[in-house]
Amino acid sequence: MSSSELRPQINWPFWIAVQCDCGPAIGVSLPGYGKTSMVEQLAKRVGAEEFNSFETGGLLPEDGGGYTVRIQDEYGEQAVEKVFDIRLKSAYRKFTVLFLDELNQGSPATQAAFQQRLLDVSKNSPSWVCGAMNPPEVATMGRVLPPAVVNRCCIVDWEYDEGTFFDGLENNCQFELPEIPLIPEDWKDGLKYAGPRIARFLKCNPRYLPTDQYIGTSDPEVDNMLKDDGTPFPSPRSWEFAVHAIAAAQSVNANEGTVKKLIEGIVGEIAYEKLNEFESLTEAQDPEELLNGTDLVLKGAHDQQHLQLYRLMLHFENNYRGVSDKFERLLDLLEQAYSQGASEEVVAFYNQTMKLKPYSYVPRIRDTGPIAEIEAMIYRCRSTSK
């Protein structure tokens, strides 16, 4: 990566993910980029009482999931219990940085055991949980991470800071440690904004959740998101992680590039792209301006058009219910949407619109145009059903 392409917030996605309950943060880069040494040095700087690194390639599943030993229970009967690595147990009691090195060199069973344990540590202790790996094609005995592991963490590129590297070479190989973002104690206050933001997107775009009804369908976008290639993908769990990540990023004023990398590392590039497109579109026109005379301009796919009309209807209901001239303006906007190809959406919203009609108000007669066509269609349907 050239210096002109470097973002000023080097590796912020990694460090934010480490702190905000969205699973272990995994940094990915070619060998020799200083991932392990950098994390160890920064652990000391932020006041961690311990830094414990696990070389995944030499571990067994029991190292993460616990070894079974036979004991006598309180009634003197034979029983078994799990005995855990002291380094994992101490992470629940004091601020520790746990580092899972060369994650993709371990067996799938080892990866799963450690991911589950580290996820529990990250949620139930003050400790930071993270890891690193080289791309499978260059890693020693490397393999593609299975979906169950990928979906429990945030996987981001480990960014190489050329400026710091060259400065260190010129300064007797004394390399300056970067500043990292430390999220404040009240960062979770941002969840009340980030949560509705993601919920709004998913309600209008359910295929990006995706639930069981979309898996195995012929939807190429869903198939592309769920490829078994070790890349992040959306799920109910990962979207929850994304909400945490957005709130944490906002608490430290992270820039758009950082937020992009962070969300992509949790739900994948396709889901982030659609979220960004959705939000860009829905912020394009203010419902208040539309009801005051601005022409409607629909953009995007049908689900995005549906959202624009939904926001318009909601704004009218909350602010202008009972106001006859605004009601007529709302019908005008529905006709504009119909003329721009959103006929199905307008038909769906028409009945709801008429329920918002001011009491005892008689709308003006529209002899031609979309509203007249919809009313004629409704009349025909009712006549046929009799």
Side-chain angles (χ1 to χ4, degrees), residues 221-295:
E221 220 161 28
V222 173
D223 293 341
N224 200 26
M225 284 191 297
L226 301 180
K227 290 188 300 186
D228 186 7
D229 61 355
T231 57
F233 60 93
S235 73
R237 173 171 47 215
S238 59
W239 279 117
E240 180 187 355
F241 287 174
V243 169
H244 282 224
I246 292 169
Q250 291 175 338
S251 75
V252 292
N253 297 316
N255 63 31
E256 291 183 10
T258 292
V259 174
K260 176 178 183 293
K261 290 284 188 181
L262 192 54
I263 299 177
E264 286 180 342
I266 298 172
V267 296
E269 294 181 4
I270 294 176
Y272 170 78
E273 179 184 342
K274 295 301 179 181
L275 172 65
N276 189 52
E277 179 183 316
F278 172 84
E279 294 189 327
S280 297
L281 174 66
T282 55
E283 294 173 0
Q285 287 190 288
D286 183 353
E288 179 68 19
E289 293 180 359
L290 291 171
L291 289 169
N292 284 331
T294 299
D295 287 339

Side-chain angles (χ1 to χ4, degrees), residues 80-254:
V80 296
E81 70 175 3
K82 292 283 189 178
V83 176
F84 293 98
D85 189 311
I86 188 63
R87 294 172 294 177
L88 295 175
K89 292 187 69 174
S90 66
Y92 286 97
R93 297 191 294 268
K94 54 187 177 183
F95 179 27
T96 303
V97 174
L98 295 176
F99 188 74
L100 201 58
D101 207 2
E102 310 298 353
L103 175 62
N104 57 350
Q105 292 185 20
S107 69
T110 298
Q111 293 170 0
F114 265 89
Q115 282 293 98
Q116 194 62 42
R117 176 57 50 192
L118 297 185
L119 182 60
D120 187 71
V121 170
S122 70
K123 285 182 170 293
N124 298 295
S125 78
S127 295
W128 291 4
V129 178
C130 52
M133 65 182 189
N134 303 322
E137 60 270 21
V138 298
T140 304
M141 300 293 289
R143 66 189 78 200
V144 173
L145 294 180
V149 173
V150 171
N151 200 238
R152 286 177 165 84
C153 54
C154 175
I155 301 176
V156 296
D157 289 337
W158 183 266
E159 298 170 317
Y160 166 53
D161 188 346
E162 279 187 352
T164 298
F165 178 66
F166 291 145
D167 289 344
L169 291 180
E170 295 168 355
N171 186 33
N172 300 318
C173 290
Q174 299 297 312
F175 299 99
E176 183 179 351
L177 289 177
E179 294 295 329
I180 64 172
L182 297 176
I183 63 176
E185 291 184 1
D186 62 352
W187 70 270
K188 287 189 176 180
D189 290 349
L191 295 177
K192 60 187 176 185
Y193 304 109
R197 171 183 171 185
I198 296 301
R200 189 164 54 243
F201 166 69
L202 292 175
K203 286 178 181 178
C204 294
N205 299 273
R207 69 169 63 92
Y208 300 110
L209 192 49
T211 53
D212 290 345
Q213 63 181 314
Y214 291 97
I215 298 175
T217 66
S218 58
D219 190 328
E221 220 161 28
V222 173
D223 293 341
N224 200 26
M225 284 191 297
L226 301 180
K227 290 188 300 186
D228 186 7
D229 61 355
T231 57
F233 60 93
S235 73
R237 173 171 47 215
S238 59
W239 279 117
E240 180 187 355
F241 287 174
V243 169
H244 282 224
I246 292 169
Q250 291 175 338
S251 75
V252 292
N253 297 316

